[in-house]
Amino acid sequence: MLGGMSRATEESNRAMLRARDAMDRAYDQPLDIPALARIAYVSEAHFIRTFRATFGETPHRYLQRRRVERAMYLLLHTGRDVTDVCYAVGFSSLGTFSRTFRQIVGESPSEYRRRKAPAAAVPVCFTKAWTRPSSFGQQTSVLDKQQVRPAP
């Protein structure tokens, strides 16, 4: 025994890591329990039990979470629509994708994109002017400090 871990436990952990690594690499592919159990060289029932004991969640839930994590990235960093993102990360149904996304993230994909979307770039000079401390004892904007007159 090396470091208190039996050889059988070590082999089991390696098998589960092989399957998890396959999910990480091919999250967008149709992966099922039989295929993952074959990668781990164990029966389907043993695979589900051992994966959950090793990683604290079922293989299905792990894969769903990985897909949602990737979807979160795509929603914020690409202009792809929600349906395209859904299929790109391996979901075959927009309804399942939306429901799973909401369960994991707490809001719909569209709400997430809207709430987390990066703000438009603002020139540094404006940011500095808007956040410059006021000599009047409270934070005020440049517009509050100047009288704004309508154009003639």
Side-chain angles (χ1 to χ4, degrees), residues 94-106:
L94 184 58
T96 301
F97 170 66
S98 296
R99 185 174 54 255
T100 304
F101 193 97
R102 182 179 292 281
Q103 288 171 345
I104 292 172
V105 179

Side-chain angles (χ1 to χ4, degrees), residues 111-127:
E111 291 167 340
Y112 174 80
R113 174 180 265 167
R114 215 174 7 261
R115 191 175 58 77
K116 292 284 193 170
V122 176
V124 173
C125 60
F126 284 103
T127 304

Side-chain angles (χ1 to χ4, degrees), residues 37-134:
R38 280 192 300 276
I39 291 168
Y41 304 113
V42 296
S43 72
E44 295 171 28
H46 182 73
F47 174 70
I48 293 168
R49 275 192 313 273
T50 307
F51 191 96
R52 184 178 196 142
T54 304
F55 299 114
E57 61 188 337
T58 66
H60 178 72
R61 189 61 174 174
Y62 178 81
L63 182 57
Q64 299 287 52
R65 192 170 49 77
R66 290 294 293 131
R67 287 173 170 168
V68 166
E69 287 170 358
R70 182 64 181 152
M72 291 167 72
Y73 175 84
L74 293 174
L75 288 167
L76 293 184
H77 300 286
T78 71
R80 297 163 93 168
D81 65 27
V82 173
T83 302
D84 188 33
V85 169
C86 160
Y87 295 120
V89 299
F91 283 91
S92 57
S93 156
L94 184 58
T96 301
F97 170 66
S98 296
R99 185 174 54 255
T100 304
F101 193 97
R102 182 179 292 281
Q103 288 171 345
I104 292 172
V105 179
E107 58 192 341
S108 75
S110 298
E111 291 167 340
Y112 174 80
R113 174 180 265 167
R114 215 174 7 261
R115 191 175 58 77
K116 292 284 193 170
V122 176
V124 173
C125 60
F126 284 103
T127 304
K128 286 182 178 179
W130 289 331
T131 60
R132 185 174 297 131
S134 168

